[in-house]
Amino acid sequence: MEQKIYINKEDSIVSMSSNNKAKHYCKSGSTVVFQTSDCYNGNLKSESDLFHLIDYSNINPATGPLYIENAEPGDVLRVDILEIKLDSQGAMSVSPGRGALKDFVEEERTKIIKIEDGYAVFNDILKFPINPMIGVIGTAPKEGEVLNGTPGEHGSNMDCNKIQEGTGLFLPVNVPGALLAMGDLHAVMGDGESATCGIEISREVTVKVTVLKDAIMPTPFLKTNSEYITIAAGKTLDEASSHACFKMLDFLKATLPLDLQELIMLLSIAGNMEICQVVNPLKTARMTMPIDLFDKYNVRI
């Protein structure tokens, strides 16, 4: 029987880099449990705790990194998200000057939101079904050091609410072992993450990690039950969305026996361009295509 590997949230990093020392090692095909902190590193426990009092150097901790044996530069790391467990409460924080609505926030405020019977309880009237997702998940970049708050080609703070239980995330292997890390869970988050936060929450994620050789998808890449998704980051939303679109076109070119003009038409008919977040140092967008379209050509990832 396979033994799960557990990584404690104290083994964490605040930036992704090839210089980070691996905290744990595993083989391809292993099941790994990452215990995570929320993006505030557990510092907002009550509504009297305010964001400006937090040491910003400890924001967005990601548990890891994990070294996956036989993962070499040029490979793709498949991360199947098997289960996401949440704590009993999460937190939200708004402040003047932060987020897409930064000019309208009149005062700094923290809101504690209880998780009860599968719902996030916003107030006495409003509650929302939980939709657990991972905000920060990535591998080491090719070069340099990237703070966990910034998304990129290596993944990290994509804040894509499709990264949830039952999905497969494909990330690039840029350095030996990949150096996978993750954190920043959300109980619920709308596309855009307009206030700079979803319902930020901690606990744990169970994943299966698999090294793929000669994979064809442009990373970061996501497979849900019904969609293939390309994800891209950029300085502007226009840049991010265009890049996500180009990535999906590359995937279509590699998998479907149609000419370029037909593929472009197909992308406009069946593809959906969607926003992940607009509040991080780089914006993130995604392009989705229905899996059943690929099934007609016997293409399966």
Side-chain angles (χ1 to χ4, degrees):
M1 182 177 178
E2 180 190 5
Q3 185 176 8
K4 289 182 180 178
I5 297 167
Y6 289 83
I7 306 180
N8 192 282
K9 65 182 180 182
E10 274 68 44
D11 289 334
S12 65
I13 53 176
V14 293
S15 62
M16 297 194 181
S17 167
S18 61
N19 294 322
N20 288 328
K21 183 178 179 181
K23 305 294 178 63
H24 292 268
Y25 293 76
C26 75
K27 297 182 182 298
S28 177
S30 295
T31 299
V32 186
V33 181
F34 288 77
Q35 184 189 57
T36 67
S37 297
D38 64 26
C39 74
Y40 307 121
N41 208 7
N43 285 295
L44 301 187
K45 295 183 174 66
S46 72
E47 296 187 347
S48 61
D49 298 325
L50 298 177
F51 180 80
H52 81 272
L53 299 174
I54 301 174
D55 179 356
Y56 199 79
S57 66
N58 292 322
I59 292 294
N60 269 328
T63 303
L66 172 70
Y67 187 106
I68 299 94
E69 296 175 14
N70 199 36
E72 298 294 338
D75 296 341
V76 168
L77 182 66
R78 176 171 179 155
V79 184
D80 288 297
I81 302 166
L82 306 179
E83 185 177 28
I84 301 175
K85 293 182 178 179
L86 304 179
D87 273 352
S88 59
Q89 72 175 35
M92 299 187 74
S93 171
V94 293
S95 305
R98 294 174 56 228
L101 302 172
K102 58 187 178 183
D103 296 331
F104 299 92
V105 179
E106 298 176 340
E107 63 177 355
E108 184 173 19
R109 183 179 298 179
T110 297
K111 187 174 182 67
I112 301 300
I113 299 175
K114 300 291 186 182
I115 307 300
E116 298 177 355
D117 300 322
Y119 285 86
V121 182
F122 190 77
N123 58 31
D124 292 341
I125 297 174
L126 298 177
K127 63 179 182 178
F128 300 90
I130 60 171
N131 185 34
M133 56 158 285
I134 306 171
V136 171
I137 180 169
T139 52
K142 288 183 179 180
E143 56 186 28
E145 179 181 17
V146 182
L147 290 173
N148 291 348
T150 302
E153 292 297 286
H154 63 299
S156 197
N157 198 22
M158 296 177 285
D159 280 322
C160 173
N161 62 23
K162 304 270 189 173
I163 302 177
Q164 55 185 231
E165 281 186 12
T167 65
L169 176 64
F170 299 78
L171 293 167
V173 178
N174 298 311
V175 301
L179 299 182
L180 175 69
M182 67 185 73
D184 184 32
L185 302 185
H186 302 98
V188 183
M189 191 198 84
D191 281 342
E193 200 182 19
S194 303
T196 73
C197 60
I199 300 176
E200 309 292 335
I201 198 163
S202 59
R203 197 168 172 192
E204 68 179 39
V205 182
T206 303
V207 301
K208 179 180 178 181
V209 293
T210 308
V211 176
L212 304 179
K213 306 290 183 179
D214 302 317
I216 60 171
M217 73 285 295
T219 54
F221 186 90
L222 192 62
K223 176 182 180 291
T224 72
N225 290 330
S226 60
E227 296 171 317
Y228 291 135
I229 302 172
T230 51
I231 305 173
K235 292 181 180 178
T236 67
L237 195 55
D238 282 351
E239 184 180 316
S241 58
S242 292
H243 193 192
C245 189
F246 296 152
K247 283 185 171 187
M248 183 59 77
L249 180 59
D250 284 343
F251 181 64
L252 295 179
K253 288 162 61 177
T255 54
L256 299 184
L258 302 174
D259 67 39
L260 179 60
Q261 310 313 311
E262 287 184 313
L263 291 176
I264 291 171
M265 294 177 191
L266 186 63
L267 195 59
S268 190
I269 293 171
N272 288 305
M273 190 173 289
E274 301 170 352
I275 297 170
C276 296
Q277 60 76 29
V278 296
V279 295
N280 294 333
L282 295 178
K283 319 305 180 191
T284 318
R286 62 181 181 262
M287 190 78 192
T288 76
M289 289 290 286
I291 284 179
D292 61 6
L293 183 152
F294 294 84
D295 288 342
K296 297 181 189 302
Y297 289 94
N298 297 314
V299 173
R300 268 284 174 173
I301 300 300

